[in-house]
Amino acid sequence: LIGPKECRQLAENFNEMSRKLEESFTKLQQSEASRKELVANVSHDLRTPLASIQSFVEALQDDIIEDKEVFDQYLKTIQLETKRLGYLIHDLFQLTQLESEAEKFEPELYYVDKLIIEALENQYVHIEEKKLHVHVDLPEKLPAVAVMPEKVMRVVVNLLQNAVRYSKSGGELYVEVQDEGHVVRIRIIDEGEGIPLEEQAFIFERFYRVEKSRSKEFGGSGLGLAICKSIVELHGGEIGVSSEQGKGSTFYFTIPIMKELSR
Ligand code: ADP
């Protein structure tokens, strides 16, 4: 026979168990919903360029285009859409790798200044094209960090790419690096169109675009910032944004410094 004390204990245990069960169920529902949403987004984003490629290929096959210029234009579109599809598939693969925890953290010793310079070189053509003035603030003595260099490169390149994309021609662009003791903080600041406050929390979600048509015009996949977030978190850092519409955006991320690695 069990007394009132045991009864209370049993009830408490039961309550605790059902609370946990409900919590797991909600989580499961959420991940199921997010999986469904991902599949829907992916299908849509893959189907659109595919449909476009298909219709242009059919037009070429029909042999009705006599104008050489139109013919070349069709070929160019097919090339462009195929390229876009390739980027999308690549990004999607990277993101699922990162999110499925298949990606192991295998860092090596690297220097932040080197990463910044390489990323700037990577974006040089686009910076020139837009006639942007770049101001780089790199402290002389930066500590070495334990990173997967090509992954962190991807973050810097992505943030730079966005800053260039959403800047007005001839604008200013700032890249600032700060040693804060326990982390290195990297800021990429543009004076572009900015992001509305109510949207800032969502831009790191996969496929989120502030203005679908605007981003489409720039050819983004809407996966860039989601990939950046996963990479930064894999490194134990954090990523964020502060932005004012019409004035510009500041994107930042941090990389933890391991003391024994400092130069
Ligand atoms: P995309 O590939 O579409 O650029 P991202 O994940 O890189 O996707 O960015 C998500 C959205 O956040 C973009 O579509 C854009 O609307 C907005 N965004 C990102 N960076 C900036 C920026 N520097 N200035 C203004 N808007 C930005």
Side-chain angles (χ1 to χ4, degrees):
L1 223 68
I2 49 170
K5 206 174 146 203
E6 285 84 0
C7 246
R8 225 176 295 127
Q9 187 60 47
L10 266 177
E12 260 170 40
N13 287 352
F14 178 74
N15 280 344
E16 174 68 8
M17 254 162 55
S18 60
R19 197 185 52 75
K20 277 196 177 141
L21 202 67
E22 205 163 309
E23 210 173 88
S24 328
F25 188 62
T26 315
K27 269 193 192 146
L28 207 66
Q29 272 183 323
Q30 278 167 350
S31 73
E32 175 65 10
S34 109
R35 194 186 61 80
K36 274 193 183 149
E37 192 192 307
L38 178 69
V39 172
N41 277 328
V42 171
S43 319
H44 173 265
D45 280 50
L46 289 179
R47 234 185 273 136
T48 315
L50 262 179
S52 157
I53 293 168
Q54 205 171 5
S55 63
F56 281 104
V57 168
E58 274 166 17
L60 292 181
Q61 272 175 332
D62 285 347
D63 224 9
I64 44 165
I65 306 157
E66 282 165 11
D67 190 335
K68 167 110 178 52
E69 242 174 69
V70 177
F71 191 90
D72 286 347
Q73 191 54 49
Y74 275 30
L75 272 184
K76 234 185 184 165
T77 311
I78 293 171
Q79 244 174 352
L80 201 79
E81 292 288 339
T82 313
K83 212 166 146 186
R84 195 182 279 186
L85 205 56
Y87 284 139
L88 181 60
I89 292 169
H90 175 264
D91 278 4
L92 211 51
F93 182 71
Q94 272 231 319
L95 190 63
T96 37
Q97 282 281 103
L98 284 160
E99 286 188 352
S100 70
E101 287 163 22
E103 196 74 61
K104 284 205 192 79
F105 185 52
E106 287 167 345
E108 57 182 273
L109 201 63
Y110 216 79
Y111 295 103
V112 176
D113 33 7
K114 209 169 156 195
L115 281 170
I116 301 290
I117 290 162
E118 281 171 6
L120 279 166
E121 279 170 1
N122 178 289
Q123 286 300 298
Y124 179 76
V125 178
H126 307 290
I127 291 170
E128 282 286 289
E129 244 171 31
K130 270 225 153 148
K131 299 188 174 59
L132 297 175
H133 308 118
V134 182
H135 310 266
V136 184
D137 184 4
L138 267 176
E140 236 170 63
K141 265 189 150 188
L142 274 173
V145 281
V147 292
M148 291 168 82
E150 75 292 352
K151 293 245 160 11
V152 180
M153 247 304 261
R154 164 94 212 235
V155 179
V156 187
V157 166
N158 228 299
L159 297 182
L160 266 179
Q161 212 169 35
N162 281 347
V164 174
R165 255 186 204 162
Y166 300 109
S167 277
K168 291 178 212 85
S169 193
E172 313 291 320
L173 206 153
Y174 301 84
V175 180
E176 297 175 357
V177 182
Q178 240 174 340
D179 177 357
E180 294 185 353
H182 60 300
V183 295
V184 174
R185 186 176 298 269
I186 294 134
R187 284 196 191 82
I188 293 170
I189 306 160
D190 67 66
E191 293 182 342
E193 48 199 284
I195 302 156
L197 189 63
E198 63 277 14
E199 310 228 30
Q200 287 171 24
F202 303 111
I203 55 169
F204 294 95
E205 285 177 13
R206 51 200 182 200
F207 289 114
Y208 194 87
R209 295 157 181 150
V210 172
E211 225 179 275
K212 294 221 184 312
S213 57
R214 179 179 93 191
S215 305
K216 195 158 172 47
E217 172 193 327
F218 292 116
S221 67
L223 291 175
L225 288 178
I227 292 175
C228 290
K229 188 169 189 279
S230 288
I231 294 175
V232 171
E233 285 173 357
L234 183 71
H235 284 77
E238 54 180 64
I239 188 166
V241 65
S242 63
S243 179
E244 203 178 324
Q245 224 178 343
K247 291 212 168 146
S249 312
T250 299
F251 278 85
Y252 72 86
F253 72 95
T254 59
I255 306 172
I257 300 171
M258 289 196 207
K259 280 292 164 222
E260 61 270 29
L261 296 178
S262 303
R263 60 177 163 188

